[in-house]
Amino acid sequence: MNWLEKMERKFGRYAIHNLMYYIIILYVVGLVLQLLVPSFYYQYLSLDVSAILRGQIWRIVTFIIQPPQTGYLFMIFALYLYYMLGRELENTWGAFRFNLYFFSGMLFHVIAAFAAYFLVGVSFPLGTWYLNMSLFLAFAAVYPDMQFYLFFAIPVKAKWLGILDGVYFLYTILQAFLPSYGGNPLVGVVYQANAIAAAVSILNFVIFFLGSRNMKPYSPKQRKRKREFQQKIRPENHYAGGARHRCAVCGRTELDDPSLEFRYCSRCNGNYEYCQDHLFSHIHVK
């Protein structure tokens, strides 16, 4: 049992289910603020270390409401894309592991902001760009053969976009070691701050996946196989209250949380069903 499994067994019940739904709501709030009061975010909510050190500690959390930085015309597509990525990762990993990946990414961004402040002496507000990019990097690693349509016409597999994503991260990091454009020291500071943000995002990705080397059971093919297995052996009788599914560990049913997914474990001796949070963390019945 690795450290991720131990943490999930201990803290899994505190995970926020359908986390990306709430994150998208925060992005929409940030977009509305950006449209109505453009300067409000940077004045009061951004990850500004100098302001945090003056007592505005809420910025450690509120910076997350910055929506993906793209044109307003494509904003709705960007929000839908990130919702889809987060939903699929949560369905695959389980709520706890997706929560851990996202919130550790936030924590690393806060660390990066403080590191940039103390290293370069300037407070450069770091937004959510690299956090969202690392989300796509994780998606490409889990679903390498998933197809996206660039410009709604050109099919491209996620693994190739993930490679471009990784190259972009590496280039951003290398920029910190290049001479600043035109000798402008401020541009050099921006490069260094972005490099630190990109580096910690990659670090979060690497740490998580080094601790998830046994993630093959979460693959889409396995999920499909387990779904078909479940449909074949599902008992006809229902549980109390009319529920069709009940986790053998926590006892929750789909009536407790409609977003929960349930699977039978093929390694347990008997028809034991588990929710998405306990499917890969329970003790197998022999």
Side-chain angles (χ1 to χ4, degrees):
M1 182 182 297
N2 63 20
W3 62 274
L4 269 176
E5 292 172 340
K6 291 179 181 178
M7 289 187 66
E8 186 170 7
R9 288 175 66 94
K10 190 173 183 179
F11 303 108
R13 62 183 179 275
Y14 301 114
I16 302 172
H17 294 272
N18 206 11
L19 173 64
M20 209 60 201
Y21 172 79
Y22 301 107
I23 298 299
I24 293 300
I25 290 177
L26 292 177
Y27 283 162
V28 171
V29 172
L31 178 60
V32 172
L33 282 175
Q34 187 173 311
L35 290 172
L36 298 180
V37 191
S39 62
F40 187 84
Y41 174 80
Y42 290 101
Q43 285 182 340
Y44 302 105
L45 305 177
S46 65
L47 191 55
D48 186 335
V49 175
S50 62
I52 293 173
L53 294 177
R54 292 196 302 269
Q56 298 180 17
I57 58 174
W58 61 82
R59 292 174 178 264
I60 294 175
V61 177
T62 57
F63 82 93
I64 195 61
I65 76 167
Q66 184 187 43
Q69 296 302 291
T70 183
Y72 293 122
L73 180 62
F74 295 99
M75 184 66 70
I76 187 170
F77 298 106
L79 293 179
Y80 174 76
L81 173 64
Y82 287 119
Y83 173 73
M84 185 270 291
L85 297 179
R87 183 192 62 187
E88 290 301 319
L89 286 175
E90 181 174 328
N91 288 339
T92 302
W93 288 341
F96 175 79
R97 296 190 183 215
F98 180 68
N99 276 221
L100 182 62
Y101 185 78
F102 191 90
F103 288 128
S104 62
M106 285 184 59
L107 175 62
F108 279 141
H109 261 59
V110 174
I111 294 174
F114 276 87
Y117 178 77
F118 290 117
L119 288 175
V120 304
V122 176
S123 183
F124 180 75
L126 296 177
T128 58
W129 173 253
Y130 296 104
L131 182 61
N132 291 325
M133 292 286 283
S134 70
L135 198 66
F136 185 84
L137 195 61
F139 181 87
V142 176
Y143 298 98
D145 295 320
M146 181 74 74
Q147 279 196 342
F148 289 86
Y149 286 88
L150 295 182
F151 309 110
F152 305 101
I154 306 173
V156 181
K157 288 187 176 182
K159 61 183 177 183
W160 302 119
L161 295 177
I163 290 174
L164 290 177
D165 198 0
V167 170
Y168 174 80
F169 272 109
L170 294 177
Y171 175 72
T172 302
I173 295 171
L174 289 175
Q175 272 190 322
F177 301 96
L178 299 176
S180 58
Y181 180 78
N184 187 341
L186 181 60
V187 176
V189 169
V190 173
Y191 282 173
Q192 293 169 13
N194 284 331
I196 295 173
V200 297
S201 295
I202 286 289
L203 180 63
N204 183 41
F205 173 81
V206 171
I207 290 175
F208 190 87
F209 275 87
L210 284 179
S212 305
R213 286 172 291 185
N214 61 339
M215 291 295 283
K216 284 187 177 180
Y218 296 88
S219 68
K221 290 183 179 179
Q222 281 284 72
R223 292 171 59 204
K224 181 181 179 182
R225 183 185 65 81
K226 288 180 179 292
R227 188 182 304 115
E228 293 173 350
F229 174 75
Q230 170 188 339
Q231 291 173 351
K232 290 179 181 178
I233 68 174
R234 180 181 297 165
E236 295 298 330
N237 59 306
H238 296 173
Y239 296 106
R244 292 177 174 269
H245 312 280
R246 184 175 65 187
C247 178
V249 175
C250 63
R252 289 184 298 176
T253 71
E254 75 274 15
L255 301 181
D256 297 313
D257 186 350
S259 66
L260 282 178
E261 291 192 5
F262 296 84
R263 301 286 185 270
Y264 284 92
C265 179
S266 59
R267 294 176 58 186
C268 287
N269 185 15
N271 296 334
Y272 290 93
E273 193 174 19
Y274 302 94
C275 69
Q276 62 199 36
D277 295 328
H278 296 109
L279 179 58
F280 301 106
S281 61
H282 66 274
I283 299 175
H284 297 292
V285 179
K286 300 299 183 181

